[in-house]
Amino acid sequence: VAHVGGVGERIAPLEIDASGERAPLWRAPLSMIIAVPPVEVSTAEVFRALSPEQWSGAAPTEHLHAIASGAIRPAMLQNDLAAAAMARYPEIAQLRSALLAAGAEGASMSGSGGAVFGIFLGAKQADQAASMMRQNHPQARYYVVNSLF
């Protein structure tokens, strides 16, 4: 688990657990689906559409601890660029909603888009959801992956 800052160029490992001890946070790998819609997203356009008052700031450390332990709530997966990208490219919003409907514990857009990801509690759930997604939204590409830790 890491704090990522700037436009993604600053990465700092987060190794302090909830008790204040220095230890890796990931307890088990997370299973995820990455869904890529058939759109080309202009990063510059998405950033231009975002005003400074729309920036939410850094994620609270307690959210990172919860995600690392598997206690994921959709509100924890905040991406300030998502609203701007989804307004311009509704396919992104549709895939994010479909991931949640398929059983993802949380789903969000990656970076400035257009890929979205859904986090599942296990590989079996992710595989089943990916099969459903491929049938219901065949225009997108899907990748079932696991986190490294």
Side-chain angles (χ1 to χ4, degrees), residues 19-39:
S19 68
E21 297 294 317
R22 187 168 182 80
L25 284 179
W26 290 118
R27 303 293 186 249
L30 294 174
S31 296
M32 295 173 271
I33 296 174
I34 300 170
V36 183
V39 296

Side-chain angles (χ1 to χ4, degrees), residues 9-116:
E9 81 284 7
R10 293 191 316 258
I11 302 171
L14 183 67
E15 298 177 333
I16 307 299
D17 69 15
S19 68
E21 297 294 317
R22 187 168 182 80
L25 284 179
W26 290 118
R27 303 293 186 249
L30 294 174
S31 296
M32 295 173 271
I33 296 174
I34 300 170
V36 183
V39 296
E40 293 291 325
V41 176
S42 166
T43 298
E45 181 181 306
V46 171
F47 271 92
R48 276 194 301 272
L50 189 69
S51 62
E53 53 274 355
Q54 292 175 299
W55 288 99
S56 64
T61 301
E62 52 272 7
H63 283 191
L64 297 175
H65 289 285
I67 291 168
S69 70
I72 301 160
R73 293 188 316 270
M76 294 177 176
L77 302 176
Q78 178 67 33
N79 181 337
D80 294 338
L81 299 172
M86 291 178 188
R88 175 77 171 98
Y89 307 96
E91 301 91 338
I92 299 170
Q94 291 166 359
L95 284 176
R96 181 186 171 279
S97 294
L99 285 166
L100 291 169
E105 295 298 310
S108 188
M109 186 178 77
S110 177
S112 59
V116 292

